[in-house]
Amino acid sequence: MRTGAAFNGDVRIHFDTFGDPNHPTLLLVNGLGSQCINYQEAWCEMFAAEGLHVVRYDNRDVGLSSHLPDVEYTLTDMAADGIAVLDALGVQRAHVMGLSMGGMIVQTMAIQHRERLLTMTSVMSTTGEPEYRQSSPRAWELLTAPGATNREEYVQQWINGLREWGSPEFADEGRWRADAERAFDRSFDPAGVGRQFMAVGRSGSRAEQLPGVTTPTLVIHGDRDTLLMSPGGRRTAELIPGARFELIEGMGHDYPPQMWRHWVDLVVSHIREHS
């Protein structure tokens, strides 16, 4: 693994890379409050082993990237952060995959920076249309609860969330705790997560722009996702011409290690089909 930094104006974006930089690049984009380490090293190495140059990065306001307490921004700015990472690496065109809010970001890239994208994979995400942003009452309650104030509260909120929206068959509270502790120790900024949440809200719907997307698109969703339910993914695939929709049985709003192989196979097959 190699590390680096990109700049979108004054905003510094931390990134890590895996694999041969001469191979096609796969840019991995995170969800709300998610640091790049949620794309765990072993998972990134699986993609790299398929002949990809894998890049993960911290969105603004999380992890080791700039935290912006006095700045209002939208998904347009966050998409430009990802493009800045490609610029810093000298990558003209890349495959992109985004999870949850990251799916919204890569959709925005496909709308505003189509010349930089080879393929797009949007996972467990939606179009920005309110009627397709469906959550269970409990999931919404947990998502919008006041932020944690210390390490143990943070870990417990992480566990409580995954109890509600995680993949039931692969529930593992020991793994969840270890992941949460690692994330907290790397960076803790609940206000930054709140600013990301506001950015999603002020960005509005992409429904009018998505039918103009020309990037070959794969849409993945889990049938056990209670945080962003599968109609959001189906709607995304309906709006993007030629998009392929894959519903994964048993998958919630998470990505347990037991699902990595299947996920890698889906994305790599999509990339090779359009290379």
Side-chain angles (χ1 to χ4, degrees):
M1 184 180 77
R2 297 170 295 278
T3 65
F7 289 87
N8 178 13
D10 294 331
V11 179
R12 180 186 185 276
I13 303 296
H14 169 89
F15 63 82
D16 302 323
T17 69
F18 302 81
D20 188 337
N22 294 310
H23 288 166
T25 294
L26 172 63
L27 184 71
L28 304 176
V29 188
N30 297 284
L32 180 70
S34 175
Q35 299 180 51
C36 70
I37 56 173
N38 278 8
Y39 289 108
Q40 294 190 24
E41 285 84 351
W43 194 15
C44 292
E45 293 289 0
M46 289 173 71
F47 281 109
E50 297 290 339
L52 294 168
H53 173 227
V54 181
V55 182
R56 65 181 190 182
Y57 70 95
D58 287 323
N59 287 313
R60 58 175 63 196
D61 264 330
V62 298
L64 306 184
S65 291
S66 292
H67 292 238
L68 306 167
D70 301 316
V71 178
E72 288 190 358
Y73 54 87
T74 68
L75 295 177
T76 290
D77 301 297
M78 301 184 82
D81 293 340
I83 298 302
V85 172
L86 298 182
D87 289 342
L89 290 165
V91 174
Q92 293 302 309
R93 302 186 73 198
H95 305 280
V96 298
M97 179 173 77
L99 314 186
S100 195
M101 182 186 73
M104 304 172 198
I105 292 171
V106 298
Q107 291 170 33
T108 305
M109 289 179 180
I111 293 166
Q112 300 178 357
H113 305 278
R114 68 180 65 192
E115 74 283 356
R116 304 299 299 274
L117 271 55
L118 293 167
T119 67
M120 170 174 63
T121 302
S122 176
V123 188
M124 58 182 78
S125 193
T126 186
T127 62
E129 297 168 279
E131 62 269 35
Y132 291 98
R133 199 264 175 259
Q134 301 173 12
S135 305
S136 72
R138 177 59 174 161
W140 184 252
E141 176 188 358
L142 290 167
L143 179 68
T144 57
T149 59
N150 57 53
R151 192 173 192 260
E152 188 51 41
E153 286 181 5
Y154 178 87
V155 170
Q156 194 59 52
Q157 285 189 351
W158 185 298
I159 291 172
N160 291 345
L162 286 168
R163 283 174 178 164
E164 168 58 28
W165 56 65
S167 303
E169 182 180 352
F170 304 118
D172 183 343
E173 294 198 8
R175 171 169 53 80
W176 295 345
R177 174 172 291 276
D179 290 345
E181 290 173 344
R182 184 185 182 202
F184 180 94
D185 293 343
R186 185 172 183 262
S187 175
F188 174 63
D189 183 4
V193 179
R195 292 189 292 272
Q196 290 187 347
F197 188 83
M198 295 298 293
V200 172
R202 67 172 61 96
S203 296
S205 170
R206 292 172 295 284
E208 291 186 3
Q209 292 80 31
L210 288 173
V213 167
T214 57
T215 302
T217 298
L218 170 65
V219 179
I220 300 173
H221 222 106
D223 69 348
R224 300 300 295 270
D225 191 337
T226 64
L227 184 60
L228 280 175
M229 293 181 179
S230 60
R234 290 189 184 277
R235 175 64 170 169
T236 304
E238 288 171 1
L239 288 179
I240 298 174
R244 170 185 165 197
F245 180 72
E246 288 282 346
L247 185 70
I248 299 181
E249 294 184 2
M251 188 176 91
H253 201 85
D254 66 339
Y255 23 97
Q258 295 90 337
M259 289 186 170
W260 290 352
R261 182 71 260 166
H262 180 48
W263 204 323
V264 169
D265 290 345
L266 283 174
V267 175
V268 170
S269 175
H270 174 60
I271 288 172
R272 289 176 177 166
E273 181 182 350
H274 297 284
S275 295

